[in-house]
Amino acid sequence: AQKRSWNEILADLARPHPMNRLLQGDVGSGKTVLAYLAARAVASCGQQTALVVPTELLAVQHLRSLRRLEKDCPEKDRLRMEILSSSLSRGEAGTVLRGLKSGELDLVVGTHALLQEHVRFAELALAVVDEQHRFGVLQRAVLLDRGPGERVPHALVMTATPIPRTLSLTLYGDLDLSVIDELPPGRTPVQSHLLRAGEGERILAAVAQT
């Protein structure tokens, strides 16, 4: 399922018009890996990727995952990536912003901070939005307006839980759909639990086990 979805994404990246694709898959199905491969494809052409997520915790997790995927790559072949969030100091944020504007960074992972007006890219070619239902249409449009010149970046939106608005966008053709309907071998199955008020001790026990 990952290979099928990747071939669909790669075919979109090769077309002359912008991709507008929804990547759907359960937690642990490998959506981040496909976003990473797309970023590598874009970087090989000297262009940039922005990965937008709704929370800083998720941004940190994504950056760790992306760097873990590169741990066996020679340093010269690794993507130049950083994080941009509201908790960065002014100096740290300034370094990231300069790297984006000059093209020294290949990929930035960030929160809504990436949507601020002063954020500029040298060659933004791919915008990836994780948990896309947490972002409005206008917020996504802000990022897609940051491409070089008149060009619109490719858009890849990812979700584990498509909501009616997302499904309707797919139904009416505004979004192409790729589905990862298999988990990678050896992946621990996802379990969902419903906990009610008064079950705090059970929640604490579950957190402690992880």
Side-chain angles (χ1 to χ4, degrees):
Q2 280 181 315
K3 289 179 180 177
R4 181 183 65 242
S5 297
W6 168 237
N7 287 332
E8 292 167 350
I9 292 168
L10 191 58
D12 281 352
L13 292 175
R15 293 191 176 103
H17 55 270
M19 168 174 64
N20 201 19
R21 182 168 293 276
L22 169 67
L23 178 61
Q24 179 193 334
D26 285 338
V27 174
S29 63
K31 298 188 296 294
T32 303
V33 173
L34 297 190
Y36 167 74
L37 290 175
R40 283 207 71 93
V42 165
S44 70
C45 300
Q47 296 176 313
Q48 297 167 298
T49 297
L51 171 54
V52 191
V53 299
T55 67
E56 184 168 0
L57 178 60
L58 192 56
V60 171
Q61 290 175 339
H62 269 307
L63 189 63
R64 285 178 183 167
S65 297
L66 292 167
R67 284 180 169 158
R68 194 159 52 240
L69 289 170
E70 293 210 309
K71 69 181 190 304
D72 295 325
C73 290
E75 191 165 344
K76 65 181 179 62
D77 295 330
R78 295 177 185 176
L79 293 180
R80 299 165 298 175
M81 60 179 95
E82 287 294 345
I83 191 170
L84 183 65
S85 68
S86 57
S87 69
L88 292 184
S89 69
R90 182 173 296 182
E92 291 170 328
T95 299
V96 175
L97 292 172
R98 286 190 295 273
L100 293 176
K101 190 173 182 178
S102 67
E104 293 175 13
L105 290 178
D106 301 309
L107 185 153
V108 62
V109 184
T111 58
H112 290 76
L114 273 176
L115 306 179
Q116 296 179 61
E117 189 175 347
H118 63 273
V119 179
R120 289 289 178 264
F121 296 83
E123 289 280 345
L124 180 63
L126 174 63
V128 183
V129 181
D130 194 19
E131 293 197 21
Q132 79 95 22
H133 55 280
R134 302 278 293 274
F135 294 89
V137 173
L138 294 179
Q139 289 175 313
R140 275 174 40 201
V142 167
L143 196 58
L144 295 178
D145 196 37
R146 300 282 169 83
E150 298 295 319
R151 286 179 288 168
V152 177
H154 295 288
L156 178 65
V157 296
M158 308 191 298
T159 186
T161 52
I163 61 171
R165 186 187 72 205
T166 306
L167 295 174
S168 67
L169 286 171
T170 305
L171 178 65
Y172 291 109
D174 292 319
L175 283 170
D176 296 314
L177 178 64
S178 292
V179 180
I180 307 178
D181 51 9
E182 303 166 308
L183 289 177
R187 185 76 65 168
T188 303
V190 176
Q191 294 184 350
S192 298
H193 299 272
L194 175 63
L195 300 175
R196 296 177 173 82
E199 295 186 276
E201 290 186 4
R202 191 175 160 201
I203 295 173
L204 290 173
V207 171
Q209 287 177 2
T210 60

